[in-house]
Amino acid sequence: MPTTLTNNPEETQALAATLATSLKGGDIILLYGDLGSGKTCFVQGLAKALGVTETVRSPSFTFVWEHRLPSLQCTMYHFDLYRLHYGDDLTPIGLSDVWGEPMTITVVEWADRLGEYMPEHFIQIDFEYLRDSKRKITIQKK
Ligand code: ADP
Ligand code: MG
């Protein structure tokens, strides 16, 4: 079921909860899509399904938020690269320090900013704004 149409934020979060059941330490999730297409909404659903109780918001000033995931005994790193530009040096952000490590789940909003700086294996999720509160969400394992 790679493509899903959701009709409201709750359906997007329910889809995220479904993905959450198959996640394991070391997984990397790259999120693509325009502003308002539902990336953060999806991450909120993912985090909730993984037992995060604190508020999940876009890490626009820090680039990254950390959330402990007691159920998986992992830490979720939620990056948002919106303020980066193509070709910017990504080293200071610390992505490569965490992603793929066995005790981490890494989620990246605005993953198009990564350019050539890509992990070997990842889950790609594309968000498309259709109209009103309809979104097209495509999940692919790469
Ligand atoms: P992004 O992180 O991609 O910029 P957000 O998740 O922050 O987008 O914002 C999506 C906005 O669209 C939220 O205000 C959310 O309530 C609204 N929305 C409406 N319908 C949906 C839907 N089907 N899925 C996700 N968000 C939706
Ligand atoms: Mg966002």
Side-chain angles (χ1 to χ4, degrees), residues 13-110:
Q13 296 194 347
L15 178 65
T18 304
L19 177 70
T21 63
S22 68
L23 289 181
K24 56 186 188 322
D27 280 348
I28 301 168
I29 303 169
L30 304 184
L31 307 180
Y32 297 81
D34 290 339
L35 205 62
S37 61
K39 301 180 297 297
T40 301
C41 176
F42 188 94
V43 179
Q44 287 163 343
L46 202 58
K48 193 173 170 198
L50 293 171
V52 173
T53 52
E54 70 261 19
T55 307
V56 171
R57 51 173 67 90
S58 263
S60 42
F61 290 100
T62 53
F63 285 116
V64 62
W65 283 105
E66 257 183 71
H67 301 286
R68 188 81 197 126
L69 304 177
S71 54
L72 290 175
Q73 297 192 317
C74 281
T75 303
M76 179 171 120
Y77 291 89
H78 175 199
F79 289 88
D80 188 314
L81 307 183
Y82 181 57
R83 292 185 306 127
L84 288 182
H85 300 97
Y86 301 94
D88 278 357
D89 180 13
L90 289 156
T91 318
I93 300 192
L95 268 164
S96 63
D97 296 337
V98 298
W99 71 8
E101 292 297 319
M103 306 300 273
T104 68
I105 302 277
T106 305
V107 182
V108 185
E109 293 193 47
W110 296 98

Side-chain angles (χ1 to χ4, degrees), residues 26-28 30 96 99-100 114 116-124 140-142:
D27 280 348
I28 301 168
L30 304 184
S96 63
W99 71 8
L114 292 171
E116 301 287 295
Y117 195 89
M118 293 289 281
E120 201 175 333
H121 298 289
F122 54 93
I123 298 166
Q124 174 171 334
Q140 295 171 275
K141 291 215 162 118
K142 303 240 167 163

